Amino acid sequence: MKRFAGITAISRFLPEKRLTNAELSAIFPEWSPEKIYEKTGIRERRIADENITASDLATQAALKLIDGTGFSAESIDFLLFCTQTPDYLLPSSSCLIHQRLGLRSDCGALDINMGCSGFVYSLSLAVSMIESGTVQRVLVLCADTYSKLIQTGDRSVMPLFGDAGSAVMVEAVDLAKASIQGFVFGTDGAGAGNLIVHHSACKKEYAQQGLFRDNSGEMRSPEFLYMDGPEILQFTLERVPALCREILEKIRLDWDAIDLVVLHQANRFLLETLRKKMKVSQEKFAIEMELTGNTVSCTIPLALIECVQKGNLKPDMNVLLAGFGVGYSWAGCMMTSGNIRVFT
């Protein structure tokens, strides 16, 4: 008998510190707070303190999920942690979180170094393990602290990114209750240099503490995040509509059968452009980043929480999920929703 997997619960953990548009306007006087909102769809972002890491955010989200659901740590068979801002290059942060949560010694733990497509990639691994019969319950954690990679005054990324942690429980389910299917993936490493931190691991492309000139002619430090916005926009507008079409073809549904579309929450302008290009109505299209910003791998889980709380995501809905970004990488799937419990 075929096994199926679905999302049964989601939680989040947000740092207390906020970076508001008024504070950004003080740094960029040419932009008013309302102008920043109009450009990004974001009013504030959460920023992790200097001594708070992505693993801390993920651990707190996981504890909130475990406490809220009443599941014991002993019942979790595998832990997946998606982040691009780990505590260390080694050991893996998932091992550190495993210890903090008190999971079983025969519970696997794995780091996934993916960005804005990372949640869907992580979800695919969880679903595959459950459908194969290897495990019954997978804890999928996402967290990123991109704020630690952003140079103060970088107008291309500072208004966009915020920090967050999320936890999603993926379990073996009855098909009639909930399921996830139709995964589609894509990669184009030719775009790697358009969203990158050059000196973030072992490869040193520029002189230590040196500078490099970006495509706009500005001098930048290789220690901080660099994003070529126009190139990212072009990539997204080309790949995401095609990705969504491929998912629908794979599951043999058309747009009329989709009740909700939840894409990676990059910024409002990009999402609205995609929505119009794909001819999806506003009622079926989630834009949920106003108080958190672009939280990288967490944006889809955080958007799903908002949709449940607002009544826009209910049981038995067909939900198209898609992430895209750094790599370049992209991934999507279709979820039939069950009774998803949320904990904030």
Side-chain angles (χ1 to χ4, degrees):
M1 179 181 293
K2 181 174 173 58
R3 293 163 55 92
F4 299 96
I7 294 174
T8 59
I10 311 176
S11 68
R12 71 182 184 196
F13 185 82
L14 303 175
E16 291 185 8
K17 181 180 178 182
R18 291 171 167 83
L19 176 61
T20 66
N21 285 355
E23 291 171 303
L24 281 175
S25 183
I27 299 172
F28 309 112
E30 66 276 21
W31 292 346
S32 68
E34 195 58 32
K35 183 66 173 180
I36 296 172
Y37 175 71
E38 290 174 3
K39 290 170 66 70
T40 65
I42 302 165
R43 294 196 186 276
E44 64 180 38
R45 313 115 195 95
R46 298 297 186 97
I47 305 297
D49 289 341
E50 183 179 358
N51 61 339
I52 298 297
T53 67
S55 72
D56 296 324
L57 301 179
T59 298
Q60 291 303 314
L63 289 171
K64 190 181 294 186
L65 186 68
I66 292 170
D67 290 344
T69 58
F71 293 145
S72 70
E74 291 288 313
S75 70
I76 297 170
D77 302 311
F78 211 98
L79 165 66
L80 296 173
F81 180 41
C82 180
T83 188
Q84 291 197 308
T85 51
D87 290 26
Y88 310 102
L89 285 177
L90 63 136
S92 64
S93 295
S94 59
C95 291
L96 306 179
I97 298 172
H98 180 284
Q99 188 273 332
R100 295 175 195 167
L101 297 179
L103 304 184
R104 306 190 319 259
S105 61
D106 63 342
C107 170
L110 176 67
D111 275 17
I112 300 171
N113 179 2
M114 296 293 284
C116 303
S117 63
F119 173 69
V120 179
Y121 270 90
S122 303
L123 191 60
S124 73
L125 293 178
V127 170
S128 295
M129 285 190 287
I130 291 170
E131 290 183 345
S132 70
T134 304
V135 299
Q136 291 274 18
R137 181 174 289 159
V138 181
L139 180 60
V140 178
L141 304 180
C142 296
D144 277 294
T145 54
Y146 261 38
S147 67
K148 299 180 187 299
L149 306 177
I150 295 174
Q151 188 168 12
T152 301
D154 187 342
R155 71 187 64 220
S156 67
V157 291
M158 196 174 177
L160 296 177
F161 291 100
D163 303 333
S166 65
V168 174
M169 197 68 77
V170 184
E171 301 183 74
V173 296
D174 185 333
L175 176 61
K177 179 181 178 182
S179 65
I180 305 169
Q181 57 183 312
F183 283 98
V184 175
F185 309 98
T187 311
D188 181 5
N194 293 324
L195 188 53
I196 189 172
V197 181
H198 289 91
H199 288 189
S200 53
C202 298
K203 186 178 179 67
K204 304 298 180 186
E205 300 173 283
Y206 305 98
Q208 195 70 23
Q209 303 301 321
L211 299 174
F212 72 97
R213 192 177 300 278
D214 67 17
N215 290 344
S216 65
E218 292 190 21
M219 298 303 297
R220 293 182 173 272
S221 167
E223 310 294 330
F224 293 103
L225 180 67
Y226 165 66
M227 182 177 75
D228 187 326
E231 287 293 331
I232 297 295
L233 176 63
Q234 181 178 344
F235 147 72
T236 303
L237 295 181
E238 288 177 355
R239 283 307 322 164
V240 175
L243 167 64
C244 294
R245 289 195 301 270
E246 290 166 16
I247 296 167
L248 293 176
E249 290 171 3
K250 191 168 187 177
I251 59 177
R252 298 180 180 179
L253 293 177
D254 57 30
W255 277 114
D256 291 338
I258 301 301
D259 301 301
L260 184 64
V261 178
V262 183
L263 305 182
H264 162 57
Q265 305 288 291
N267 64 74
R268 178 181 289 275
F269 171 78
L270 177 58
L271 289 173
E272 282 287 3
T273 304
L274 285 170
R275 182 186 68 78
K276 293 173 183 177
K277 187 169 185 176
M278 295 188 294
K279 299 180 180 179
V280 180
S281 67
Q282 290 180 325
E283 295 75 20
K284 290 186 175 185
F285 196 87
I287 300 181
E288 301 289 352
M289 70 183 77
E290 185 171 328
L291 300 179
T292 53
N294 180 340
T295 54
V296 194
S297 58
C298 291
T299 66
I300 294 177
L302 267 57
L304 290 174
I305 287 174
E306 293 294 327
C307 289
V308 171
Q309 291 182 326
K310 293 178 179 179
N312 297 327
L313 175 54
K314 302 173 183 177
D316 302 318
M317 292 180 68
N318 290 330
V319 184
L320 191 149
L321 307 177
F324 47 87
V326 59
Y328 294 139
S329 66
W330 56 95
C333 63
M334 202 281 287
M335 173 182 77
T336 301
S337 58
N339 182 25
I340 300 174
R341 293 184 285 171
V342 302
F343 305 95
T344 60

